Amino acid sequence: MSTPVEELTFEAALQELESVVAQLEAGDLTLEASMALFERGQKLAERCNLQLEQATLRVEQLTADGEIIEM
Amino acid sequence: MGFLRQTDRYEPQTWTVSELTNYIRDLFEVDFRLQDVELEGEISNFTQARSGHLYFTLKDANAQLKCVMWRSAAERLRLLPQDGDAVVVHGRISIYEAGGVYQLYADRLQPAGRGDLALAFERLKQQLSDEGLFDAAHKQPIPAFPRKIGIVTSADAAALRDILNVLARRWPLVQVLIAPTLVQGNDAPPQIVRALRWLDGRTDIDTILVSRGGGSMEDLWAFNDERVARAIFAAQHPIISGVGHEVDFTISDFVADLRAPTPSAAAELAVPDIAEIAPLLAGVQAHLHGVMADHLAQKQRQVQTLSRHLSLLSPRGRVDSHRQRLDMLHGRLAQAMQRKLAKAEGRLAVVQAQLAAVGPLATLSRGYAIVRDADGRVIRSVGQVAAGDGLEVQVGDGRFPVQVQKA
């Protein structure tokens, strides 16, 4: 089974999306297989879009005490 | 010391070596000019003792002078001199009794001509370059889509704000972990090294930025420190340096995997730009739909082609073709029957005609006759005739006329 898209980093999702497109382009797939690939591709693209839209820079800093605090 | 007073007595005397040596030392040490000497020369026979004291000879074309620099003074040097260096040394002249030599006790030493910072920079750069620390083979690629970036810089400097602004604008997906350090002064290098090692030891970091805003060469000096350079070289993670302004080059820049001209530029090199990635993503998505549509269309064509093939091969087609053949045979059968029937009818008519013709003749030939009136009607009764009627008699071999005599 493939990783749920929610767990993928942007880069991983984008890479898999490109691979999905390449597989679809190569053809030679059953309709079921290509539908499954397409749906996966849709989810991957949505995942990427969501990350781009919702991202806000998270900044942490190491303190003198050796703790990591959110800024 | 009482030697000067002793000589006043003009009494010849025999000195010990120590007495004379001390006398000569006093001569040097009362001369204020010899106690505050600055002189220029070339270094030779340079050695650093285990104690940390430096020993060398200062010479020019015609003379040489032994020199010593105690550890306390040597520790303040930015770089150790080497044989052949042209230097300016400050100190005082005195006697080393045990060696029987006069020498310069140096307290300051700096390269002649160019500033010592520039020389130290060139020397360290040359040394590390010779060791291969700048080799392209050691440069690591910078991850295209980092998840977390470590930053070694001063926590409250403009440089950090610039970096964070750029990251937030270009790639807000990234997380940032700041390891604050001093970036200036004698304590800066060890702090920078510690911060760098701490970040480098983490597994959640993809790229490390080592950064400082602009300043004088002295301000940036911590990034020309050999310890910092070696720590950058030793780091497992890809490191981008962004120190000072465009024109400033530091040793850190040469050792780092990637040199950025400024802190902001370092941030730009560390992450992709959402303004470029978003259209790219939209393009891939559109492509995905296009490819899928093509794929579906292709499947549809396949289905159409196959269903045509299928209909040609179906049993229904064969039934139809049989039925057609049956119809044709049926037609041929009917035609054949009709022809046969027509032929039979023809023959029948002929036979009937023959029969009709042949029948009465046979009777007539046996002696019967057929009598007809002038109109050809067969006479069957006496009432049909009157005296004087002309009749015709047909017998077996022909006909002849008769006349009724009496009726």
mmCIF file of all heavy atoms in Angstrom, chain B residues 180-210:
data_model
loop_
_atom_site.group_PDB
_atom_site.id
_atom_site.type_symbol
_atom_site.label_atom_id
_atom_site.label_comp_id
_atom_site.label_asym_id
_atom_site.label_seq_id
_atom_site.Cartn_x
_atom_site.Cartn_y
_atom_site.Cartn_z
ATOM 1 N N PRO B 180 21.479 30.362 18.362
ATOM 2 C CA PRO B 180 22.072 31.707 18.452
ATOM 3 C C PRO B 180 23.511 31.657 18.953
ATOM 4 O O PRO B 180 23.844 30.830 19.804
ATOM 5 C CB PRO B 180 21.179 32.420 19.479
ATOM 6 C CG PRO B 180 20.140 31.449 19.892
ATOM 7 C CD PRO B 180 20.522 30.086 19.424
ATOM 8 N N THR B 181 24.335 32.532 18.433
ATOM 9 C CA THR B 181 25.726 32.617 18.885
ATOM 10 C C THR B 181 26.181 34.058 18.806
ATOM 11 O O THR B 181 25.564 34.891 18.150
ATOM 12 C CB THR B 181 26.684 31.825 17.959
ATOM 13 O OG1 THR B 181 26.835 32.563 16.749
ATOM 14 C CG2 THR B 181 26.182 30.461 17.652
ATOM 15 N N LEU B 182 27.289 34.302 19.472
ATOM 16 C CA LEU B 182 28.005 35.539 19.192
ATOM 17 C C LEU B 182 28.566 35.413 17.789
ATOM 18 O O LEU B 182 28.913 34.314 17.359
ATOM 19 C CB LEU B 182 29.167 35.716 20.166
ATOM 20 C CG LEU B 182 28.840 36.120 21.595
ATOM 21 C CD1 LEU B 182 30.145 36.163 22.396
ATOM 22 C CD2 LEU B 182 28.159 37.476 21.618
ATOM 23 N N VAL B 183 28.643 36.511 17.060
ATOM 24 C CA VAL B 183 29.226 36.436 15.720
ATOM 25 C C VAL B 183 30.421 37.382 15.611
ATOM 26 O O VAL B 183 30.919 37.637 14.533
ATOM 27 C CB VAL B 183 28.191 36.780 14.631
ATOM 28 C CG1 VAL B 183 27.170 35.656 14.515
ATOM 29 C CG2 VAL B 183 27.515 38.110 14.911
ATOM 30 N N GLN B 184 30.862 37.892 16.740
ATOM 31 C CA GLN B 184 31.935 38.879 16.724
ATOM 32 C C GLN B 184 32.711 38.777 18.028
ATOM 33 O O GLN B 184 32.124 38.519 19.080
ATOM 34 C CB GLN B 184 31.312 40.276 16.597
ATOM 35 C CG GLN B 184 32.292 41.360 16.284
ATOM 36 C CD GLN B 184 31.566 42.652 15.926
ATOM 37 O OE1 GLN B 184 30.420 42.609 15.471
ATOM 38 N NE2 GLN B 184 32.213 43.769 16.126
ATOM 39 N N GLY B 185 34.018 38.947 17.946
ATOM 40 C CA GLY B 185 34.838 38.927 19.155
ATOM 41 C C GLY B 185 35.519 37.587 19.357
ATOM 42 O O GLY B 185 35.253 36.616 18.637
ATOM 43 N N ASN B 186 36.383 37.553 20.375
ATOM 44 C CA ASN B 186 37.198 36.368 20.619
ATOM 45 C C ASN B 186 36.383 35.140 21.007
ATOM 46 O O ASN B 186 36.792 34.022 20.753
ATOM 47 C CB ASN B 186 38.227 36.649 21.718
ATOM 48 C CG ASN B 186 39.351 37.533 21.200
ATOM 49 O OD1 ASN B 186 39.596 37.579 19.985
ATOM 50 N ND2 ASN B 186 40.014 38.250 22.111
ATOM 51 N N ASP B 187 35.228 35.372 21.635
ATOM 52 C CA ASP B 187 34.411 34.231 22.067
ATOM 53 C C ASP B 187 33.544 33.687 20.935
ATOM 54 O O ASP B 187 32.944 32.631 21.074
ATOM 55 C CB ASP B 187 33.511 34.640 23.239
ATOM 56 C CG ASP B 187 34.330 34.953 24.480
ATOM 57 O OD1 ASP B 187 35.462 34.417 24.565
ATOM 58 O OD2 ASP B 187 33.848 35.722 25.328
ATOM 59 N N ALA B 188 33.468 34.437 19.834
ATOM 60 C CA ALA B 188 32.555 34.033 18.765
ATOM 61 C C ALA B 188 32.928 32.693 18.119
ATOM 62 O O ALA B 188 32.055 31.824 17.986
ATOM 63 C CB ALA B 188 32.457 35.137 17.716
ATOM 64 N N PRO B 189 34.206 32.508 17.724
ATOM 65 C CA PRO B 189 34.512 31.245 17.018
ATOM 66 C C PRO B 189 34.100 29.983 17.779
ATOM 67 O O PRO B 189 33.412 29.130 17.202
ATOM 68 C CB PRO B 189 36.023 31.333 16.785
ATOM 69 C CG PRO B 189 36.280 32.798 16.716
ATOM 70 C CD PRO B 189 35.344 33.418 17.721
ATOM 71 N N PRO B 190 34.509 29.829 19.068
ATOM 72 C CA PRO B 190 34.072 28.594 19.752
ATOM 73 C C PRO B 190 32.546 28.471 19.844
ATOM 74 O O PRO B 190 32.008 27.368 19.753
ATOM 75 C CB PRO B 190 34.710 28.695 21.135
ATOM 76 C CG PRO B 190 35.308 30.044 21.253
ATOM 77 C CD PRO B 190 35.411 30.636 19.891
ATOM 78 N N GLN B 191 31.867 29.610 20.002
ATOM 79 C CA GLN B 191 30.397 29.565 20.077
ATOM 80 C C GLN B 191 29.797 29.151 18.737
ATOM 81 O O GLN B 191 28.855 28.361 18.688
ATOM 82 C CB GLN B 191 29.839 30.940 20.460
ATOM 83 C CG GLN B 191 29.893 31.208 21.944
ATOM 84 C CD GLN B 191 28.886 32.280 22.354
ATOM 85 O OE1 GLN B 191 27.970 32.590 21.598
ATOM 86 N NE2 GLN B 191 29.040 32.808 23.548
ATOM 87 N N ILE B 192 30.360 29.697 17.674
ATOM 88 C CA ILE B 192 29.861 29.332 16.341
ATOM 89 C C ILE B 192 30.067 27.847 16.101
ATOM 90 O O ILE B 192 29.181 27.142 15.617
ATOM 91 C CB ILE B 192 30.580 30.159 15.247
ATOM 92 C CG1 ILE B 192 30.188 31.638 15.373
ATOM 93 C CG2 ILE B 192 30.245 29.642 13.863
ATOM 94 C CD1 ILE B 192 31.026 32.568 14.515
ATOM 95 N N VAL B 193 31.253 27.370 16.480
ATOM 96 C CA VAL B 193 31.563 25.951 16.306
ATOM 97 C C VAL B 193 30.578 25.097 17.101
ATOM 98 O O VAL B 193 30.052 24.098 16.606
ATOM 99 C CB VAL B 193 33.015 25.655 16.749
ATOM 100 C CG1 VAL B 193 33.262 24.159 16.833
ATOM 101 C CG2 VAL B 193 34.005 26.321 15.794
ATOM 102 N N ARG B 194 30.292 25.499 18.332
ATOM 103 C CA ARG B 194 29.382 24.714 19.177
ATOM 104 C C ARG B 194 27.966 24.698 18.585
ATOM 105 O O ARG B 194 27.329 23.654 18.500
ATOM 106 C CB ARG B 194 29.362 25.288 20.597
ATOM 107 C CG ARG B 194 28.827 24.291 21.616
ATOM 108 C CD ARG B 194 29.198 24.652 23.048
ATOM 109 N NE ARG B 194 28.740 25.970 23.436
ATOM 110 C CZ ARG B 194 29.524 26.955 23.845
ATOM 111 N NH1 ARG B 194 30.831 26.774 23.918
ATOM 112 N NH2 ARG B 194 29.025 28.123 24.186
ATOM 113 N N ALA B 195 27.499 25.846 18.129
ATOM 114 C CA ALA B 195 26.160 25.928 17.551
ATOM 115 C C ALA B 195 26.058 25.075 16.288
ATOM 116 O O ALA B 195 25.086 24.351 16.069
ATOM 117 C CB ALA B 195 25.827 27.389 17.225
ATOM 118 N N LEU B 196 27.107 25.157 15.500
ATOM 119 C CA LEU B 196 27.155 24.391 14.250
ATOM 120 C C LEU B 196 27.115 22.896 14.534
ATOM 121 O O LEU B 196 26.356 22.137 13.917
ATOM 122 C CB LEU B 196 28.439 24.765 13.506
ATOM 123 C CG LEU B 196 28.609 24.328 12.065
ATOM 124 C CD1 LEU B 196 27.420 24.775 11.251
ATOM 125 C CD2 LEU B 196 29.894 24.921 11.503
ATOM 126 N N ARG B 197 27.916 22.464 15.489
ATOM 127 C CA ARG B 197 27.965 21.030 15.818
ATOM 128 C C ARG B 197 26.634 20.562 16.374
ATOM 129 O O ARG B 197 26.180 19.454 16.103
ATOM 130 C CB ARG B 197 29.077 20.768 16.832
ATOM 131 C CG ARG B 197 30.443 20.879 16.204
ATOM 132 C CD ARG B 197 31.497 20.201 17.058
ATOM 133 N NE ARG B 197 32.821 20.401 16.476
ATOM 134 C CZ ARG B 197 33.894 20.782 17.161
ATOM 135 N NH1 ARG B 197 33.794 20.987 18.456
ATOM 136 N NH2 ARG B 197 35.044 20.938 16.555
ATOM 137 N N TRP B 198 26.014 21.423 17.189
ATOM 138 C CA TRP B 198 24.728 21.052 17.792
ATOM 139 C C TRP B 198 23.677 20.828 16.687
ATOM 140 O O TRP B 198 22.977 19.831 16.667
ATOM 141 C CB TRP B 198 24.265 22.136 18.760
ATOM 142 C CG TRP B 198 22.960 21.799 19.408
ATOM 143 C CD1 TRP B 198 22.754 20.906 20.428
ATOM 144 C CD2 TRP B 198 21.675 22.331 19.082
ATOM 145 N NE1 TRP B 198 21.426 20.841 20.750
ATOM 146 C CE2 TRP B 198 20.742 21.706 19.946
ATOM 147 C CE3 TRP B 198 21.234 23.265 18.147
ATOM 148 C CZ2 TRP B 198 19.376 22.001 19.892
ATOM 149 C CZ3 TRP B 198 19.881 23.559 18.101
ATOM 150 C CH2 TRP B 198 18.965 22.926 18.968
ATOM 151 N N LEU B 199 23.619 21.765 15.751
ATOM 152 C CA LEU B 199 22.655 21.624 14.648
ATOM 153 C C LEU B 199 23.008 20.419 13.780
ATOM 154 O O LEU B 199 22.141 19.651 13.372
ATOM 155 C CB LEU B 199 22.642 22.884 13.784
ATOM 156 C CG LEU B 199 21.887 24.082 14.353
ATOM 157 C CD1 LEU B 199 22.117 25.307 13.470
ATOM 158 C CD2 LEU B 199 20.396 23.785 14.449
ATOM 159 N N ASP B 200 24.299 20.264 13.523
ATOM 160 C CA ASP B 200 24.741 19.195 12.635
ATOM 161 C C ASP B 200 24.449 17.820 13.229
ATOM 162 O O ASP B 200 24.265 16.845 12.510
ATOM 163 C CB ASP B 200 26.249 19.340 12.357
ATOM 164 C CG ASP B 200 26.685 18.479 11.181
ATOM 165 O OD1 ASP B 200 25.961 18.472 10.176
ATOM 166 O OD2 ASP B 200 27.725 17.803 11.293
ATOM 167 N N GLY B 201 24.407 17.759 14.553
ATOM 168 C CA GLY B 201 24.146 16.486 15.221
ATOM 169 C C GLY B 201 22.682 16.066 15.158
ATOM 170 O O GLY B 201 22.343 14.937 15.521
ATOM 171 N N ARG B 202 21.818 16.963 14.744
ATOM 172 C CA ARG B 202 20.389 16.647 14.704
ATOM 173 C C ARG B 202 20.034 15.922 13.411
ATOM 174 O O ARG B 202 20.668 16.103 12.391
ATOM 175 C CB ARG B 202 19.563 17.940 14.817
ATOM 176 C CG ARG B 202 19.759 18.658 16.144
ATOM 177 C CD ARG B 202 18.887 19.877 16.201
ATOM 178 N NE ARG B 202 17.481 19.522 16.168
ATOM 179 C CZ ARG B 202 16.743 19.307 17.261
ATOM 180 N NH1 ARG B 202 17.289 19.427 18.438
ATOM 181 N NH2 ARG B 202 15.479 18.995 17.154
ATOM 182 N N THR B 203 18.984 15.105 13.501
ATOM 183 C CA THR B 203 18.581 14.346 12.315
ATOM 184 C C THR B 203 17.442 15.028 11.563
ATOM 185 O O THR B 203 17.119 14.642 10.457
ATOM 186 C CB THR B 203 18.122 12.936 12.718
ATOM 187 O OG1 THR B 203 17.112 13.079 13.718
ATOM 188 C CG2 THR B 203 19.267 12.126 13.248
ATOM 189 N N ASP B 204 16.824 16.045 12.184
ATOM 190 C CA ASP B 204 15.663 16.665 11.527
ATOM 191 C C ASP B 204 16.048 17.882 10.694
ATOM 192 O O ASP B 204 15.188 18.596 10.195
ATOM 193 C CB ASP B 204 14.610 17.067 12.566
ATOM 194 C CG ASP B 204 15.161 18.043 13.602
ATOM 195 O OD1 ASP B 204 16.399 18.181 13.685
ATOM 196 O OD2 ASP B 204 14.361 18.656 14.329
ATOM 197 N N ILE B 205 17.345 18.121 10.549
ATOM 198 C CA ILE B 205 17.816 19.298 9.809
ATOM 199 C C ILE B 205 18.233 18.891 8.401
ATOM 200 O O ILE B 205 18.842 17.839 8.212
ATOM 201 C CB ILE B 205 19.038 19.916 10.528
ATOM 202 C CG1 ILE B 205 18.648 20.405 11.923
ATOM 203 C CG2 ILE B 205 19.659 21.037 9.709
ATOM 204 C CD1 ILE B 205 17.882 21.697 11.946
ATOM 205 N N ASP B 206 17.861 19.692 7.410
ATOM 206 C CA ASP B 206 18.255 19.390 6.034
ATOM 207 C C ASP B 206 19.410 20.262 5.567
ATOM 208 O O ASP B 206 20.269 19.810 4.833
ATOM 209 C CB ASP B 206 17.068 19.599 5.089
ATOM 210 C CG ASP B 206 15.962 18.607 5.375
ATOM 211 O OD1 ASP B 206 16.252 17.404 5.386
ATOM 212 O OD2 ASP B 206 14.826 19.036 5.618
ATOM 213 N N THR B 207 19.381 21.521 5.967
ATOM 214 C CA THR B 207 20.392 22.473 5.513
ATOM 215 C C THR B 207 20.729 23.408 6.679
ATOM 216 O O THR B 207 19.851 23.700 7.499
ATOM 217 C CB THR B 207 19.838 23.337 4.351
ATOM 218 O OG1 THR B 207 19.309 22.472 3.357
ATOM 219 C CG2 THR B 207 20.933 24.197 3.728
ATOM 220 N N ILE B 208 21.976 23.847 6.736
ATOM 221 C CA ILE B 208 22.374 24.785 7.795
ATOM 222 C C ILE B 208 22.881 26.085 7.154
ATOM 223 O O ILE B 208 23.686 26.046 6.230
ATOM 224 C CB ILE B 208 23.483 24.179 8.688
ATOM 225 C CG1 ILE B 208 22.969 22.914 9.386
ATOM 226 C CG2 ILE B 208 23.963 25.196 9.722
ATOM 227 C CD1 ILE B 208 24.029 22.170 10.171
ATOM 228 N N LEU B 209 22.356 27.200 7.657
ATOM 229 C CA LEU B 209 22.858 28.507 7.219
ATOM 230 C C LEU B 209 23.798 29.050 8.294
ATOM 231 O O LEU B 209 23.451 29.031 9.472
ATOM 232 C CB LEU B 209 21.722 29.513 7.029
ATOM 233 C CG LEU B 209 20.566 29.166 6.095
ATOM 234 C CD1 LEU B 209 19.697 30.395 5.867
ATOM 235 C CD2 LEU B 209 21.073 28.637 4.775
ATOM 236 N N VAL B 210 24.957 29.500 7.879
ATOM 237 C CA VAL B 210 25.886 30.178 8.780
ATOM 238 C C VAL B 210 25.951 31.617 8.314
ATOM 239 O O VAL B 210 26.327 31.880 7.179
ATOM 240 C CB VAL B 210 27.283 29.530 8.717
ATOM 241 C CG1 VAL B 210 28.256 30.306 9.585
ATOM 242 C CG2 VAL B 210 27.206 28.083 9.167
#
